[in-house]
Amino acid sequence: LAASLKEHPESRIQVQVHTADGKNKTESKTISKVRADIVMNMLVTLGVNKDQISAKGMGLSNEDAAKAVANTVEVIVEK
């Protein structure tokens, strides 16, 4: 992923993390945001321009409960 983003500096992605690890929905959202930021920071450490990446904690939502239980990390290509 990092190599591809470096090859295509015009590309933009959003890292979305789902989790149900918190005691409630608010805590799960906070935990998922921290995890998304960690993925973003890892990509930056590997040389990707920070402007190419945004991070979003999805937490635990009713429509994505299976993703949250599985601690899913998704990469959404925005551009």
Side-chain angles (χ1 to χ4, degrees):
L1 180 59
S4 180
L5 287 168
K6 290 191 300 186
E7 266 186 50
H8 302 280
E10 73 284 357
S11 296
R12 303 286 179 271
I13 65 166
Q14 182 179 74
V15 177
Q16 295 182 354
V17 176
H18 305 260
T19 191
D21 286 349
K23 295 176 186 167
N24 54 48
K25 286 186 176 186
T26 301
E27 190 173 291
S28 290
K29 189 161 187 128
T30 300
I31 292 168
S32 62
K33 174 62 171 140
V34 168
R35 291 177 180 172
D37 286 343
I38 289 169
V39 173
M40 180 178 68
N41 291 334
M42 288 174 65
L43 289 168
V44 171
T45 298
L46 293 170
V48 177
N49 184 331
K50 188 175 181 175
D51 293 337
Q52 289 180 264
I53 313 162
S54 62
K56 185 173 183 181
M58 306 301 287
L60 170 61
S61 63
N62 292 337
E63 59 273 1
D64 290 325
K67 290 179 184 179
V69 170
N71 290 310
T72 302
V73 176
E74 295 180 301
V75 176
I76 309 299
V77 177
E78 296 178 331
K79 177 180 174 189

